[in-house]
Amino acid sequence: MTKRLILIDGSSYLYRAFHALPPLTNADGEPTGALFGIVNMLRATLKEAPDFAAFVVDAPGKTFRDDLYDQYKANRPPMPDELRAQVEPMCTIVEALGFPILRVPGVEADDVIGTLALQAADAGIEVTISTGDKDFAQLVRPRVTLVNTMSGSRMDSDDTVREKFGVRADQIVDLLALMGDSIDNIPGVPKCGPKTAAKWLTEYESLDGVIANAGNIKGKIGENLREALHQLPLSRELATIKTDVALDGGPETLILRPRAIDALRVLYARYGFGQALKDLDAAGDTSAASAGAAAVAIPAPPSTLDPALSVPGEYETVMTREQLDAWVAQLQAADEFAFDTETDALDAMRSGLVGLSFAIEPGRAAYIPVGHDYPGAPAQLDRALVLDALRGVLEDPAKRKLGQHGKYDIHVLRRHGVEVRGYADDTLLESFVLDAGIARHDLDSLAKRHLGMETIKFEDVAGKGAKQISFSQVAIDDASKYAAEDADITLRLHRVMKPRIEADAGLARVYTDIEMPLVPVLARIEANGVRVDADELRRQSADLSKRMLAAQQKATELAGRTFNLDSPKQLGALLFDELKLPAVVKTPKGQPSTNEEALEAIADQHELPRVILEYRGLAKLRSTYTDKLPEMINATTGRVHTSYHQAGAATGRLSSSDPNLQNIPIRTDDGRRIRRAFVAPPGRKLIACDYSQIELRIMAHLSEDPGLVRAFESGVDIHRATAAEVFARPLDEVTGNERRAAKAINFGLMYGMSAFGLARNLGIGRGEAQDYIALYFSRYPGVRDFMDRTRLQARETGYVETVFGRRLTLDFIQKGNPSQRAGAERAAINAPMQGTAADIIKRAMITIDSWIADHADRAKMILQVHDELVFEADLDFVDTLLAEVVTRMTSAGALRVPLVVDSGIGDNWDEAH
DNA sequence: TGTAAACCGTAC
DNA sequence: GACGTACGGTTTACAC
């Protein structure tokens, strides 16, 4: 029988498990996250009962690659302490599990693995390399297979390598050389990624072929290639795994020892690996001395201790009444469950229900298809019947439910006749409260981040781009795996993230008292929608078009030729190359900018800039607003329904999209006209209520500056009061310019502005701006102290907090380059104020919603714009609503200064201001 | 044909 | 480099 060898890349798994898993600690506070991942992986390996195995790790010290290239791995940060602390315990556990450990100085673990793999393959042994490092694909060949247990991927032939990389295994080294590697600091061809590299290698076969044909490759990327030519041979050498390392023993010496059961029991207990301990005890009594082969044969029961890496789930597709009844019974018996809906479109206000999925324990999930429709689709349970069967658990407020972005599912189910109640947890919001700063909170990213798992992506089952199909056309078997996994992963993520929130009182408060209660409130606001007068907008579009045409003709005349007024590039060429006008502003990429500031600066030297400014203003209004908004009116409701994104802004603010109703113009007359198209229905009025200077009030609260607090307590115009202080004159002698300067300072401070920025804003000298700021701080010393304190806290702890405990982690404040750090400091200054304001208005929305629920037929909340709430109400209910709303808004946060709410009433949004 | 980046501009 | 947080339209370049 063929012998089998498993080579485990310990170094790669250690790093990957560390970064993929949450920073767990045991009861004594020792870090265990990476250890946990490794132990689970090794236990799975033992189940495979290989004849030979080894756990290979890097030895300390330099390797031959450092000699080849002094910059090798120069970008790699030192090993974090939490990881370093896990290395020795890891080796102890690996030893106890019976694995031979290999550490060879002068080469990397990769080279040891490569050498052993080839020796074994030559000797007829089947080799499996277990690693998280894709570079090993270069070793795939007959009898050498590559697996990644964390992602579940497997490569055992040129075909499987090609699926992943687009080239054969023997071309992988060349591919890596072309791509380079920023982590290991291997130089490659700039802007050449996996796609480009694979394309070249397919065309020219090898790196040498690419080098020989470098002259034939066009474009910027061709230039990049030619400039990088000289270092490609070095890159190839660095990327090549050695297969001729001198080793003491061959593969046949790598024999597994019996597990040291007692030692393992102590170690598992110490690090809190409950499931591993249970398995050990279950197997240990009967086969204490077995060499691991079938030692862990008993399947693990569902466990809350280590849901993260437990085996892939058993998913059921519910096709019969009996199955449905059985699942409903299980849901009724469960304390909590995760659910998810699948639909035929993205828009929550239009999409139809295609299926539902549920998970009650990690690994135990089901998919109930109700709307799959394709040739040959099997008969499915009736949608109404399924929803009726589930109605009890879904509408029961005492039954805790959780989801990922459940607001969407709440909309879909409401539109299909089911009112979800008891929506208790949401993994999107758990992630947002834990790490507001990260880019993505979608399920796939979270699964990778917190569970180290690769999930089935929507595009895997439905395709993408032009080839994308509706989920209703996805084969039920595929749909079931995808949908059940979504519910399963949601549940597992919840079990990992929720305890981390509960461990911090501030985060728990923000999550439990603000974000979760807000979910149904936002769903109601979105469902309410706002009435928009499409005819009015179309009239405005026509008017704007006429004026745009006039501006365009004038511009052509002034330029002496036609050009595309919408193209910054063409405009720049005309203004700065042909007309030789000065370029005072540069874009971030160093090009001459044609933005408003740049055009204003040259408006006195030529007529054209002014005409462009006119055109731009008109074009913006038409393309973004007057043309688009009528298209967004829902055919069923006749209203416009925006989406509010609760995890949209890192500071805790909401964002709005499809359409964005938080950037409707107000500053210019032409812009403000658009607000006249946001109207109240007949018999109703719009009521707009906005917080007056809420962020500055929060600055007064946080800084406790006596002067600023006093100014707000007195109720005077804050910018005028600031001007009076800074310019040392009575309130009624403050000039317009002085007030304008004070206002610029007030706002600039909240954004962490410098003297440079203030000078530019006010059109004054930098020295003068610096004088203003110094004067300001001398009058309001508490503000300066607050700024310094905030920066210091951010630098020391890496995060800042709002009054209510919301936390924003600033990754770049400690590790970034100077420019990134400066940016992080500005964000640190701003976030407590912007974030506290967001907390306050969210609290107000929740309490107003609960009041308005009893008057739902007479009034609705319809918009939120950061510091403003808009309602529509029956004429005879306006006064009642206004009084109640203002009271609830002003009492939504207890600050050292009063909260003041301004309000207005009108037939449209403009009038209500 | 589709997508991403660059640029610009609207809001608070 | 220089003012925080968003969304989105148009052009442009480029990969598929």
Side-chain angles (χ1 to χ4, degrees), chain A residues 536-552 614-628 665 668-674:
Chain A
E536 168 64 21
L537 288 173
R538 280 192 264 269
R539 280 194 294 274
Q540 293 189 21
S541 274
D543 175 59
L544 292 167
S545 299
K546 211 163 46 179
R547 293 158 64 193
M548 280 166 69
L549 189 64
Q552 195 175 10
E614 162 83 1
Y615 173 84
R616 283 245 181 100
L618 301 170
K620 174 79 175 176
L621 294 178
R622 189 169 75 109
S623 65
T624 309
Y625 304 107
T626 61
D627 278 358
K628 284 290 162 346
T668 66
D669 285 341
D670 275 331
R672 191 177 308 123
R673 279 205 303 173
I674 293 168

Side-chain angles (χ1 to χ4, degrees), chain A residues 419-558:
Chain A
E419 289 290 337
V420 175
R421 294 189 194 89
Y423 188 62
D425 288 295
D426 192 312
T427 47
L428 169 78
L429 300 172
E430 288 175 345
S431 171
F432 181 58
V433 167
L434 284 171
D435 311 289
I438 66 175
R440 302 175 59 80
H441 302 277
D442 61 283
L443 198 69
D444 297 330
S445 309
L446 295 182
K448 197 177 291 183
R449 181 184 180 87
H450 293 282
L451 305 174
M453 290 172 74
E454 284 290 338
T455 51
I456 305 168
K457 313 290 186 294
F458 181 82
E459 72 173 68
D460 294 339
V461 292
K464 64 168 181 173
K467 284 177 292 188
Q468 188 175 101
I469 56 175
S470 156
F471 201 82
S472 63
Q473 293 166 290
V474 172
I476 287 180
D477 284 352
D478 293 341
S480 184
K481 289 189 191 82
Y482 166 82
E485 183 184 82
D486 267 9
D488 181 20
I489 296 290
T490 300
L491 183 64
R492 296 189 201 206
L493 281 170
H494 167 64
R495 302 242 172 131
V496 171
M497 291 192 287
K498 187 73 187 285
R500 289 182 54 202
I501 291 174
E502 286 174 335
D504 183 299
L507 297 187
R509 177 179 182 196
V510 169
Y511 177 76
T512 307
D513 297 348
I514 299 180
E515 299 299 357
M516 282 314 300
L518 189 64
V519 172
V521 178
L522 292 178
R524 274 187 280 277
I525 296 174
E526 292 174 356
N528 289 340
V530 55
R531 191 160 187 265
V532 169
D533 183 345
D535 288 338
E536 168 64 21
L537 288 173
R538 280 192 264 269
R539 280 194 294 274
Q540 293 189 21
S541 274
D543 175 59
L544 292 167
S545 299
K546 211 163 46 179
R547 293 158 64 193
M548 280 166 69
L549 189 64
Q552 195 175 10
Q553 283 168 346
K554 180 83 178 172
T556 307
E557 193 182 309
L558 288 167

Side-chain angles (χ1 to χ4, degrees), chain A residues 221-268:
Chain A
I221 192 106
E223 282 173 40
N224 290 348
L225 170 63
R226 288 184 284 280
E227 277 167 32
L229 279 181
H230 67 280
Q231 51 192 4
L232 289 176
L234 171 67
S235 297
R236 174 163 54 184
E237 197 166 352
L238 290 168
T240 303
I241 295 172
K242 274 177 84 112
T243 55
D244 58 355
V245 177
L247 298 172
D248 291 341
E252 65 286 348
T253 63
L254 303 171
I255 296 167
L256 279 162
R257 296 182 306 279
R259 293 183 306 165
I261 300 267
D262 292 333
L264 283 174
R265 193 172 285 125
V266 172
L267 288 163
Y268 287 168

Side-chain angles (χ1 to χ4, degrees), chain A residues 544-692:
Chain A
L544 292 167
S545 299
K546 211 163 46 179
R547 293 158 64 193
M548 280 166 69
L549 189 64
Q552 195 175 10
Q553 283 168 346
K554 180 83 178 172
T556 307
E557 193 182 309
L558 288 167
R561 66 176 176 87
T562 57
F563 68 103
N564 185 346
L565 277 75
D566 292 321
S567 165
K569 196 178 166 181
Q570 292 182 28
L571 179 60
L574 176 62
L575 293 175
F576 307 120
D577 296 340
E578 288 182 36
L579 299 175
K580 307 287 183 207
L581 292 165
V584 289
V585 186
K586 297 269 190 274
T587 70
K589 288 200 73 184
Q591 297 300 309
S593 170
T594 66
N595 69 12
E596 184 178 355
E597 187 187 350
L599 296 184
E600 285 288 355
I602 53 177
D604 54 352
Q605 297 174 45
H606 200 285
E607 280 187 71
L608 187 54
R610 180 64 60 202
V611 177
I612 298 291
L613 284 169
E614 162 83 1
Y615 173 84
R616 283 245 181 100
L618 301 170
K620 174 79 175 176
L621 294 178
R622 189 169 75 109
S623 65
T624 309
Y625 304 107
T626 61
D627 278 358
K628 284 290 162 346
L629 284 171
E631 293 173 16
M632 303 299 291
I633 296 173
N634 184 294
T636 308
T637 66
R639 297 169 71 109
V640 171
H641 305 267
T642 184
S643 290
Y644 288 105
H645 302 278
Q646 219 175 333
T651 53
R653 268 195 187 176
L654 300 177
S655 74
S656 155
S657 68
D658 307 298
N660 181 355
L661 296 186
Q662 291 181 323
N663 70 347
I664 304 299
I666 193 168
R667 283 165 203 189
T668 66
D669 285 341
D670 275 331
R672 191 177 308 123
R673 279 205 303 173
I674 293 168
R675 294 189 173 224
R676 293 190 207 147
F678 288 74
V679 295
R684 293 198 151 189
K685 290 279 185 188
L686 292 191
I687 302 95
C689 304
D690 68 285
Y691 284 109
S692 163

